[in-house]
Amino acid sequence: MEIHQVKGQIVLTSRLDDMGHLPLKVLKSVSGSTSVAMDPIGTKTGDWVFTIANSAARDAAGDKRLLTDLTVSGIIDNWADIQKPDVK
Amino acid sequence: MKIYRVEGTIVSTNRIAMMDHKPLLLVVDKPGASPMVAVDPIGCKQGDWVLCCGSSAARDATGIKGYPSDLTIVGILDKWEG
């Protein structure tokens, strides 16, 4: 599961029915690549989150019918101290 | 399947309900690479070299059928020089 930062949200007025109604967030990965994921938990811009890809993404979004290959699955609480571990 | 090194733990209180209480670990492909998050059904500690399985097999490897994961630890390497 990759780690991304939420950059913003996109709106698709004309889209397939099976895309459902979950918000679509633009994510930027640690290595810098940009991708879009469905967000069932409600993140805000700037949150560090981890995502699920492949076949599990559809289940993670809540419904097997949803057309997604990437879903935001959780907000990382301790990202700040993972980046700068205080050396004990 | 790929070999990763366990860096530390991830805490995520606000996550999807399907993930229930499986522990999540931060794993790195090689030192300095971008970290990934893996589900840990075994109980590894920091610094362990582990084998991780991806894509759809990762879902059942967690012990719960159809668990939403695309990277799961399946074993700890006894000896690996890294």
Side-chain angles (χ1 to χ4, degrees):
Chain A
M1 288 173 271
E2 280 192 13
I3 294 174
H4 296 270
Q5 187 172 25
V6 178
K7 280 299 169 196
Q9 185 165 335
I10 57 173
V11 178
L12 309 173
T13 308
S14 55
R15 63 198 217 172
L16 291 175
D17 292 346
D18 282 345
M19 289 291 285
H21 304 290
L22 289 179
L24 295 167
K25 298 290 169 74
V26 179
L27 307 176
K28 194 162 186 298
S29 74
V30 179
S31 56
S33 65
T34 300
S35 51
V36 174
M38 273 193 189
D39 174 12
I41 51 176
T43 58
K44 60 183 181 333
T45 305
D47 279 349
W48 283 90
V49 297
F50 57 93
T51 61
I52 295 178
N54 305 329
S55 64
R58 301 182 73 172
D59 271 324
D63 180 356
K64 200 75 178 119
R65 279 196 335 272
L66 289 180
L67 299 175
T68 175
D69 68 351
L70 194 67
T71 305
V72 173
S73 51
I75 300 172
I76 299 176
D77 293 10
N78 57 345
W79 181 248
D81 58 22
I82 286 178
Q83 287 310 98
K84 296 179 290 304
D86 41 13
V87 184
K88 276 179 279 303
Chain B
M1 288 185 287
K2 285 166 75 173
I3 293 176
Y4 287 90
R5 186 173 178 279
V6 176
E7 288 282 301
T9 56
I10 284 268
V11 175
S12 172
T13 33
N14 186 353
R15 61 190 191 176
I16 52 176
M18 283 181 75
M19 297 191 78
D20 55 61
H21 303 297
K22 288 285 174 190
L24 299 174
L25 292 184
L26 199 68
V27 291
V28 181
D29 204 348
K30 52 185 177 307
S34 58
M36 307 269 283
V37 176
V39 177
D40 171 23
I42 301 172
C44 314
K45 63 179 179 358
Q46 192 163 3
D48 282 350
W49 287 95
V50 293
L51 185 67
C52 288
C53 167
S55 79
S56 63
R59 307 184 64 182
D60 300 339
T62 58
I64 302 173
K65 192 132 186 37
Y67 183 87
S69 161
D70 67 357
L71 190 65
T72 306
I73 295 174
V74 291
I76 303 173
L77 277 77
D78 291 354
K79 205 178 84 60
W80 183 250
E81 62 285 352

